[in-house]
Amino acid sequence: MEVTFWGVRGSIPSPGPATVRYGGNTSCVSVRLADGEVIMIDCGTGARNFGRSLLAGRFGKGQGSGTVLLSHAHWDHIQGFPFFGPFYVPGNRFTVVGGIQGSELLERVLERQMAAQFFPVQSYRNMGAQLDMRAVPDDREVRVGAARITAHPNPHGPTQALAYRIHADGKVLAYASDVGYPESGPQGDTVDFYRGADLLIHDCTFTPEDRAERMTRGLASLDDAVEAAARAQVKRLALFHYDQDYSDHDVDELVRRGRRLLDQRGAKAIEILGAAEGLTLAL
Ligand SMILES: [Zn+2]
């Protein structure tokens, strides 16, 4: 399984000289499986560059098929949707999975941002590719090729965001962005959902100090990410979804501090890194 980060920022794109190394695009991660299956997790503005990379291959010829997993529909997770090139090539086929409240709602939300007031294409049906919108089923399990994908709803302020666990090629990737845990941090079935992952991509929007002042945002701090990784005994933790005002230097400091916290917690074996645009990890 090959995992690539295309957008690692939360809330709003933040281009500029202070964010060159980690990147300013919003949430988008791609997963390529050994059998060639292509999965995109979240469709923030990073999806534009991911789409461009795909157009060089079969997706440019209308012969591609892929799966899009959406954690939720806040702007920083869907704004790349109208700018994802392979959606405009007739013949391509995508299954879009998200929203535990039904496929009609998922479709309505995505369709709304295509309306003429927001975007000239007016409807996702005008994009060319075949898009099949599907709600996560009641058993929260989706099969993509040989991959077994499960979803888990996490609290996210006034709403929820789905975490995903992808089990394929003998490896496990867990993705948990936009997570507002209670004060006690991740517990019980949430920890079980991440357990033993080869890579946990976890929301790390804030330092603990900044999160304390912004509890109602429903987003995670560095402490939450470290606790999730340590309690679930994952192998590798990738910090993700940084606050738009954090510079590259601030993110470097998050990673350094996260390393110290893991060591203090007796979790020296867990590798920690800061997700950065363009970074590919092989699991
Ligand atoms: Zn977000």
Side-chain angles (χ1 to χ4, degrees):
M1 188 188 317
E2 196 182 80
V3 179
T4 302
F5 297 97
W6 300 94
V8 300
R9 215 35 83 165
S11 302
I12 189 168
S14 53
T19 57
V20 168
R21 277 191 294 118
Y22 289 97
N25 280 299
T26 54
S27 307
C28 181
V29 176
S30 70
V31 181
R32 197 179 282 272
L33 305 181
D35 60 8
E37 289 285 351
V38 171
I39 299 169
M40 170 162 63
I41 312 177
D42 278 333
C43 208
T45 61
R48 186 177 67 87
N49 282 332
F50 176 41
R52 292 178 71 199
S53 78
L54 288 178
L55 289 175
R58 62 185 194 272
F59 286 91
K61 301 187 186 83
Q63 296 163 1
S65 67
T67 303
V68 182
L69 304 175
L70 295 177
S71 62
H72 65 309
H74 282 167
W75 281 341
D76 51 326
H77 300 261
I78 63 166
Q79 271 186 333
F81 192 89
F83 295 91
F84 185 66
F87 285 164
Y88 291 89
V89 183
N92 286 338
R93 289 179 297 118
F94 291 89
T95 303
V96 182
V97 179
I100 48 174
Q101 293 155 298
S103 54
E104 272 177 43
L105 182 65
L106 174 67
E107 192 173 340
R108 263 209 320 273
V109 167
L110 293 174
E111 184 70 337
R112 224 182 286 162
Q113 75 165 349
M114 304 297 289
Q117 294 87 345
F118 299 117
F119 199 66
V121 175
Q122 302 178 46
S123 168
Y124 78 83
R125 291 188 181 81
N126 295 333
M127 293 171 97
Q130 185 189 322
L131 304 186
D132 178 19
M133 311 274 183
R134 278 195 214 163
V136 169
D138 289 344
D139 65 0
R140 299 196 183 124
E141 184 170 327
V142 181
R143 292 269 175 180
V144 175
R148 180 173 169 260
I149 302 172
T150 46
H152 173 80
N154 272 323
H156 176 39
T159 180
Q160 289 183 319
L162 291 176
Y164 287 101
R165 182 181 175 97
I166 301 177
H167 192 164
D169 308 335
K171 300 287 179 180
V172 171
L173 164 68
Y175 174 94
S177 193
D178 300 64
V179 189
Y181 299 125
E183 292 271 13
S184 52
Q187 306 280 350
D189 59 346
T190 302
V191 172
D192 287 340
F193 191 77
Y194 309 148
R195 191 166 305 283
D198 294 276
L199 174 64
L200 170 64
I201 299 171
H202 198 286
D203 181 4
C204 180
T205 305
F206 298 127
T207 62
E209 297 76 22
D210 284 349
R211 187 190 184 233
E213 292 174 5
R214 303 174 206 179
M215 291 298 284
T216 54
R217 293 279 305 279
L219 293 165
S221 71
L222 175 67
D223 280 350
D224 295 320
V226 164
E227 277 305 306
R231 291 179 191 178
Q233 296 180 296
V234 304
K235 294 189 179 63
R236 204 155 28 161
L237 167 65
L239 305 179
F240 185 72
H241 196 268
Y242 317 115
D243 181 83
Q244 67 273 12
D245 293 332
Y246 286 2
S247 68
D248 288 333
H249 175 78
D250 294 330
V251 177
D252 285 343
E253 189 50 37
L254 281 172
V255 177
R256 273 197 293 270
R257 199 170 160 186
R259 178 72 269 159
R260 284 198 301 273
L261 289 169
L262 284 167
D263 291 349
Q264 285 163 12
R265 235 189 147 285
K268 282 188 181 355
I270 299 176
E271 191 187 322
I272 183 170
L273 60 105
E277 261 177 54
L279 175 68
T280 294
L281 300 173
L283 307 192

